[in-house]
């Protein structure tokens, strides 16, 4: 259904514009609005809409002269930032891996060394020496040491008993 622009009233155009601003128009209605605002007989209250449609459907967009060069420089800069970030992350990962490998190698070497070294420790039983050649002398010395120990124990027990007796009184 083709709508004739010349027979539409300003109110109908305004209703169609309202639907256009609410994104409720069809492609045919938008084309009709475009043709209407390209004409010269647009009422003064719709002049702002005419400027909008002229900019929307002009087809030609003015761009600054150096826009392409600036965009190219920005894109190159972003690529360098990405490359530097990747390189930095790769270096950090390699350092971490090298540190772990060095630690494992150190532990492996230390474990191998400690496991394969010649033992310098001698059992205690081989270090024992006879201090007495005569068993009677050894028994006498043992009896003297045990008597000294017994006297010290008895002194401590007597002090404890005396303390307990004094507390009761």
């Amino acid at each position: 259904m083709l709508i004739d622009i010349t027979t539409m009233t300003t109110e109908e155009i305004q209703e169609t514009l309202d639907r256009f601003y609410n994104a409720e128009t069809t492609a045919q209605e938008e084309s009709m609005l475009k043709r209407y605002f390209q004409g010269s007989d647009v009422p003064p209250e719709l002049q702002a809409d005419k400027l909008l449609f002229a900019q929307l459907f002009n087809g030609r967009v003015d761009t600054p002269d150096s826009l392409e060069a600036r965009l190219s420089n920005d894109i190159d800069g972003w690529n360098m930032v990405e490359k530097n970030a990747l390189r930095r992350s790769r270096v950090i990962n390699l350092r971490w891996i090298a540190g772990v490998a060095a630690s494992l190698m150190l532990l492996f070497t230390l474990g191998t060394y400690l496991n394969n070294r010649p033992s310098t420790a001698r059992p205690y039983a081989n270090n024992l020496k006879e201090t007495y050649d005569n068993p009677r002398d050894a028994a006498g010395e043992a009896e003297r040491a045990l008597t000294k120990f017994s006297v010290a124990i008895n002194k401590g027990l007597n002090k404890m008993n005396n303390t307990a007796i004094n507390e009761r009184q």
Side-chain angles (χ1 to χ4, degrees):
M1 162 178 141
L2 189 58
I3 302 172
D4 188 13
I5 306 169
T6 55
T7 60
M8 289 183 74
T9 64
T10 305
E11 291 81 25
E12 291 174 332
I13 299 267
Q14 188 63 46
E15 288 174 15
T16 308
L17 272 174
D18 291 340
R19 286 200 334 258
F20 174 78
Y21 290 133
N22 290 327
E24 298 170 350
T25 55
T26 63
Q28 181 184 3
E29 289 173 325
E30 289 176 15
S31 175
M32 182 266 313
L33 285 173
K34 176 184 167 189
R35 284 192 317 263
Y36 176 76
F37 285 116
Q38 285 176 346
S40 59
D41 56 342
V42 177
E45 64 266 14
L46 297 177
Q47 286 299 318
D49 296 312
K50 180 177 182 174
L51 288 174
L52 175 71
F53 272 84
Q55 290 176 354
L56 281 177
F57 296 108
N58 186 5
R60 184 178 172 282
V61 178
D62 294 333
T63 57
D65 297 334
S66 62
L67 180 65
E68 187 174 342
R70 288 190 324 217
L71 285 175
S72 179
N73 286 338
D74 286 345
I75 290 171
D76 291 342
W78 295 332
N79 286 339
M80 290 302 292
V81 168
E82 287 178 9
K83 286 179 185 177
N84 288 339
L86 287 174
R87 188 175 299 128
R88 209 174 307 126
S89 112
R90 200 173 311 131
V91 166
I92 289 171
N93 284 340
L94 288 176
R95 285 182 186 164
W96 187 82
I97 290 170
V100 169
S103 300
L104 289 175
M105 188 63 152
L106 180 67
L107 287 173
F108 178 75
T109 304
L110 183 65
T112 303
Y113 169 74
L114 291 176
N115 225 11
N116 295 331
R117 69 182 171 147
S119 178
T120 57
R122 292 177 295 192
Y124 183 71
N126 292 342
N127 290 335
L128 291 179
K129 295 183 202 174
E130 289 293 328
T131 54
Y132 293 97
D133 294 332
N134 184 354
R136 283 182 191 222
D137 291 341
E141 186 63 31
E143 186 177 337
R144 185 187 71 74
L146 289 173
T147 303
K148 188 176 181 182
F149 179 71
S150 175
V151 167
I153 291 281
N154 285 335
K155 272 187 188 178
L157 289 175
N158 285 338
K159 283 185 180 180
M160 285 176 50
N161 286 337
N162 289 338
T163 305
I165 291 172
N166 289 337
E167 286 178 358
R168 287 186 207 157
Q169 293 175 355

